[in-house]
Amino acid sequence: MKLIRYGKAGKEKTGIIIDGIKYDTSAFGEDYTEQFFENDGLERLKKFVEGNRDSLTKVNDDERLGSCIARPSKIICIGLNYALHAKETGASIPKEPIIFFKSTTALCGPNDDVVIPKNSKKTDWEVELAVIIGKKCSYVEEGKAMDYVAGYALHNDYSEREFQIERGGQWVKGKSCDTFAPLGPFLATKEEIENPNNLNLWLKVNGVKLQDSTTSDFIFNVQQVVSYLSQFMTLLPGDVISTGTPAGVGLGMKPEPWYLKAGDVVELGIDGLGTSKQTAVAYSKG
């Protein structure tokens, strides 16, 4: 299944994509929340759709798409998880996954504007595969890790590099600004994706392809990441794990880094997980 949420920000309705067409599932009566996933929501939604297939109403293509899941308990990110990305930034290959958090208030729709934060000079892009947890997960072995995955989504892990690197403290400061986590266009349940560790992913800025890689360049694959994180924290249904970005970020550009400015257009995609598009706008007090 492919799950969507659509409508005005903060008032999204639920939906599903069937054969490329969006349909409303508001009559199901539940948002795609932690409680939805925890209480076998995917299977119940599947049965609802099968039983009401002929009465589902189509969603207009001009409707705004929201984040494909409601705000989760946490967004966990893996740093330097592609070998070539580590190389471009001059970093050593990590011996264990590098973990940081992204504020859940950064979550937004896949095609919403990305707001360049107040006083930002170094807003950067990062196409990433997001893993959505399907059930409570703690101390899980790698061989059983996929049993705890609900599905996958496209994510752009926007980063303000000055806030992240030059302001002291942890990376979270450069990762958590409003609009810095566009998620979607849809959540693809895990049976839709044959092998998450071998997906092509790409990103363009103003039509120029800057990231073009595959998750086969992972240092730590999906199973390893899920298992590893579960040794340190309980993963809850609906939690998002963003698995890192490949080479081609602004920070790694040669001969010198370059970053987003107002008016720039960022497009990105992953095989089987659709595409998204964000236009950079300057922060304004509103």
Side-chain angles (χ1 to χ4, degrees):
M1 292 191 295
K2 296 177 180 177
L3 281 59
I4 62 169
R5 297 171 71 252
Y6 73 96
K8 293 182 179 179
K11 297 181 179 180
E12 288 90 351
K13 299 177 181 179
T14 61
I16 193 166
I17 299 175
I18 303 173
D19 297 330
I21 299 173
K22 304 183 192 77
Y23 293 93
D24 177 80
T25 59
S26 297
F28 179 67
E30 297 178 41
D31 201 351
Y32 302 147
T33 62
E34 176 183 333
Q35 291 71 32
F36 166 81
F37 291 105
E38 183 176 30
N39 293 296
D40 204 23
L42 289 175
E43 187 60 32
R44 291 186 294 107
L45 177 64
K46 181 180 179 181
K47 291 178 180 178
F48 169 83
V49 171
E50 290 172 350
N52 295 274
R53 178 68 179 84
D54 294 336
S55 61
L56 295 178
T57 59
K58 293 182 181 180
V59 176
N60 291 332
D61 286 336
D62 59 357
E63 286 276 5
R64 169 190 173 269
L65 289 176
S67 164
C68 55
I69 61 169
R71 188 183 296 179
S73 82
K74 47 190 172 290
I75 301 173
I76 315 156
C77 302
I78 307 299
L80 299 174
N81 197 29
Y82 285 75
L84 291 176
H85 176 51
K87 182 179 179 180
E88 77 172 344
T89 59
S92 301
I93 299 296
K95 293 182 173 60
E96 296 186 39
I98 296 172
I99 303 170
F100 61 92
F101 287 90
K102 197 175 185 83
S103 172
T104 59
T105 54
L107 202 65
C108 66
N111 302 310
D112 291 347
D113 291 340
V114 58
V115 178
I116 297 175
K118 184 178 181 180
N119 300 319
S120 168
K121 299 176 182 176
K122 299 181 178 180
T123 294
D124 203 348
W125 55 85
E126 297 189 33
V127 59
E128 303 200 5
L129 170 68
V131 178
I132 291 83
I133 295 298
K135 58 183 179 180
K136 190 174 180 180
C137 176
S138 180
Y139 297 112
V140 174
E141 299 173 7
E142 282 183 28
K144 296 182 179 179
M146 296 305 290
D147 294 342
Y148 294 83
V149 172
Y152 310 95
L154 172 64
H155 177 226
N156 196 341
D157 175 26
Y158 280 109
S159 309
E160 213 297 339
R161 300 301 190 187
E162 182 182 13
F163 299 174
Q164 176 189 356
I165 299 169
E166 302 171 37
R167 298 287 296 273
Q170 299 186 4
W171 290 3
V172 66
K173 287 194 294 190
K175 299 285 187 171
S176 295
C177 302
D178 291 350
T179 74
F180 268 28
L183 188 68
F186 53 80
L187 180 158
T189 51
K190 62 183 176 183
E191 72 274 6
E192 297 264 349
I193 302 297
E194 182 177 353
N195 182 4
N197 300 310
N198 189 25
L199 297 174
N200 293 322
L201 67 171
W202 57 270
L203 181 144
K204 299 178 182 179
V205 178
N206 299 331
V208 178
K209 186 173 283 187
L210 300 175
Q211 294 187 277
D212 188 8
S213 187
T214 169
T215 58
S216 63
D217 192 41
F218 275 154
I219 297 169
F220 305 102
N221 67 25
V222 170
Q223 294 92 319
Q224 291 171 316
V225 165
V226 171
S227 174
Y228 184 85
L229 289 174
S230 79
Q231 309 306 308
F232 301 97
M233 68 191 79
T234 296
L235 303 175
L236 295 176
D239 279 356
V240 176
I241 302 171
S242 203
T243 55
T245 198
V249 299
L251 176 66
M253 290 294 166
K254 307 298 181 189
E256 61 184 28
W258 61 278
Y259 301 104
L260 294 175
K261 62 184 184 301
D264 286 344
V265 177
V266 181
E267 300 169 271
L268 56 151
I270 299 179
D271 284 356
L273 296 174
T275 64
S276 67
K277 180 179 179 180
Q278 299 97 43
T279 300
V281 298
Y283 168 83
S284 63
K285 187 175 180 179

